[in-house]
Amino acid sequence: MLIRTQGSGFQHPHASDITPLAVYARRRDILRLAGAGATALALPAGGAHAAAAPGLAALAAARSTVPGAVTLEKPTAYQDATSYNNFYEFGTDKADPARRAQTLAPRPWTVEVDGLVRKPRRFDLDELLRLAPLEERIYRLRCVEGWSMVIPWVGYSLAELVRRVEPLGSAKYVEFTTLADKARMPGLSAGVLDWPYVEGLRLDEALHPLTLLGLGMYGQVLPNQNGAPVRLVVPWKYGFKSAKSIVRIRFVEHEPATAWAKAVPQEYGFYSNVNPLVDHPRWSQATERRIGEDGLFAKKRKTLPFNGYEAQVGQLYAGMDLKKYF
Ligand code: MTE
């Protein structure tokens, strides 16, 4: 993000003809017919998304019933969502993560959950996968660079994990630290950021049911380039809040120093709520391009306040000046 400037930085990916989403759409229609929005059917492992990526384990998930968790917009092609990525630990080019992230090694994996909690605990990946029923949620993700995607994630509300460690009354924020291992992440030597990549949320944001602990996408475990094996997905904030490959979740009293706010404080605030009225100092945030759909010469889409999730999350910011707390 640091190195992109208006106009010059946007690289449109090649739209893929190979789409698993015909399968995806068919399943969605079946679910609609079954009234699954209300009943949360469990989907068979590997069934609907079997075409997504050979070799990645399938994750069975029920369609989420959390209000706002399933947009009816068309999901981005799997090929686009997994080949146009920001994961600077593997390089700053959009194609780098897909090309280089096979060294990540997402198993075994543990996440340390500590800080101001009554029951600090280290979870291994299998514990995380079993912690709560897996849900499928279809979220828009809007990157600060002016593009967006629609992704069917698999996971559950971060609140499920939070309540198991019992935060103390003094815990006001949650800090997410991601893996920084030079042996597995070639981009670390470039020094683009002060590694590890750290993100943060206010405790009430972390507890909002839409805040997802992501363990998969398109019916499978996360591909490495999308933040395997566990990442955050906060749909109403710019994509950089959605930290990938998390190794530690810490409950703290004060606002955490986050990687992008530390690197360029005048450009990336702590809140980072999608706000078309607050321009990035180097480009407008009023519009966006949908990856794989809106060509370079197509009219851009209007960006919505809170990325379209205002009805669900707007009240978290009642009374706050969101131009000041950008
Ligand atoms: N997490 C880590 N650890 N490192 C990163 O560079 N990039 C962020 C976010 N999480 C990033 C990260 C940014 S800028 C975006 S837009 C999203 O991941 C992109 O997620 P995606 O590649 O799955 O679309």
Side-chain angles (χ1 to χ4, degrees), residues 96-116:
D96 283 341
R99 276 196 288 117
R100 301 167 89 188
Q102 63 279 15
T103 51
L104 175 68
R107 244 182 209 277
W109 194 275
T110 58
V111 179
E112 194 77 47
V113 186
D114 63 354
L116 301 172

Side-chain angles (χ1 to χ4, degrees), residues 1 80-92 94 97 141-145 147 149 151 153 177-180 185 193 195-199 217 222-227 231-233 237-246 259-260 268:
M1 296 185 302
D80 289 336
T82 55
S83 61
Y84 188 83
N85 300 104
N86 278 333
F87 199 171
Y88 278 13
E89 288 87 333
F90 294 97
T92 55
K94 293 285 181 284
L141 180 129
R142 163 64 156 87
C143 179
V144 75
E145 294 163 335
W147 50 265
M149 299 197 196
I151 299 192
W153 301 105
T177 303
T178 74
L179 183 73
M185 300 175 133
L193 288 170
W195 311 109
Y197 192 99
V198 171
E199 258 309 335
M217 58 195 269
L222 288 169
N224 289 358
Q225 61 268 36
N226 292 86
R231 69 175 290 174
L232 193 62
V233 188
K237 293 182 182 271
Y238 291 115
F240 67 89
K241 296 297 282 185
S242 294
K244 295 176 166 181
S245 305
I246 293 170
W260 280 104
Y268 306 108

Side-chain angles (χ1 to χ4, degrees), residues 304-317:
L304 298 171
F306 298 103
N307 200 22
Y309 299 93
E310 184 168 18
Q312 290 81 28
V313 303
Q315 74 283 358
L316 291 175
Y317 309 100

Side-chain angles (χ1 to χ4, degrees), residues 21-81:
L21 291 169
V23 182
Y24 185 81
R26 196 164 63 234
R27 187 201 58 168
R28 194 170 59 188
D29 290 342
I30 293 166
L31 289 180
R32 247 196 231 123
L33 284 173
T39 46
L41 293 181
L43 304 171
H49 298 285
L56 288 184
L59 284 184
R63 179 62 61 91
S64 181
T65 56
V66 168
V70 178
T71 172
L72 294 178
E73 286 182 275
K74 183 170 145 242
T76 299
Y78 182 84
Q79 175 65 22
D80 289 336

Side-chain angles (χ1 to χ4, degrees), residues 270-292:
F270 176 79
Y271 281 91
S272 309
N273 291 319
V274 174
N275 189 343
L277 300 177
V278 177
D279 287 339
H280 182 279
R282 290 184 279 137
W283 59 81
S284 161
Q285 294 293 21
T287 59
E288 68 200 53
R289 286 183 203 285
R290 182 66 45 85
I291 295 297

